[in-house]
Amino acid sequence: MTEKELIRTALEARKNAYTPYSHWAVGAALEAADGTVYRGCNIENASYTPTNCAERTAFFTAVCDGQRKFRRIAVAGGKEGQDPVRFQDSAPCGVCRQVMMEFCDPETFEIIMAVSPEEYKVFTLKELLPVGFGPSSRELLFIFPDTL
Ligand code: THU
């Protein structure tokens, strides 16, 4: 799938966002290493904190399908009922960045912050989460437990 197709898929998923509280709709399209694309949208809740972001919906769906390696994700966010306006509005939240850190190589995994298939910016996970804590950090904790 091309970058533009991945963005179109994120925009399609965005149409299913369940956002009766924030009225902020986000869609995501996550490309696994084998090329399979998983969609995600944000799903809110009357109790607020159970809300799931679009990016995590896509990741958890993919992991449930047996995927563990990923290439890139396109994200498109903006006011419900309107088209996205600024690429910054598609920036993944800190919790989603941490979930990406669990399954992705920060040097190569790409986050496409999209306004439209024509207007977007691409960042690596390392740019969005420098010095992130991930599975390899934990391996060091097991090898050198005395250093804690
Ligand atoms: N949201 C996402 O889906 N992804 C992000 O990374 C940022 C925030 C959602 C959560 C909530 O439903 C709404 O946007 C407003 O914060």
Side-chain angles (χ1 to χ4, degrees):
M1 199 176 259
T2 65
E3 259 171 15
K4 286 186 195 307
E5 284 169 335
L6 204 62
I7 292 168
R8 269 189 223 108
T9 305
L11 289 166
E12 275 299 309
R14 183 171 177 256
K15 292 180 186 165
N16 294 332
Y18 176 72
T19 55
Y21 307 106
S22 76
H23 302 290
W24 186 262
V26 186
L30 172 66
E31 190 178 65
D34 70 0
T36 311
V37 173
Y38 294 87
R39 294 155 42 120
C41 64
N42 53 332
I43 303 165
E44 299 187 343
N45 191 279
S47 179
Y48 286 22
T49 52
T51 292
N52 210 53
C53 289
E55 299 90 321
R56 276 177 290 138
T57 303
F59 265 92
F60 296 158
T61 303
V63 172
C64 183
D65 199 36
Q67 301 285 358
R68 290 288 188 279
K69 290 197 167 82
F70 302 95
R71 282 187 204 146
R72 53 188 177 165
I73 189 169
V75 187
K79 281 186 191 162
E80 182 187 78
Q82 297 179 21
D83 289 334
V85 177
R86 310 180 311 164
F87 82 88
Q88 303 94 304
D89 294 339
S90 301
C93 80
V95 173
C96 289
R97 293 178 198 202
Q98 186 63 36
V99 168
M100 292 172 193
M101 190 71 198
E102 188 67 29
F103 296 106
C104 306
D105 177 351
E107 307 269 354
T108 59
F109 184 73
E110 289 180 344
I111 294 110
I112 303 166
M113 295 186 202
V115 175
S116 70
E118 288 73 42
E119 190 185 342
Y120 57 89
K121 282 201 191 295
V122 184
F123 298 86
T124 62
L125 178 56
K126 187 158 189 177
E127 287 174 309
L128 298 189
L129 191 66
V131 204
F133 186 83
S136 59
S137 321
R138 287 191 52 90
E139 278 162 28
L140 284 179
L141 294 183
F142 291 128
I143 296 166
F144 305 113
D146 297 343
T147 60
L148 289 176

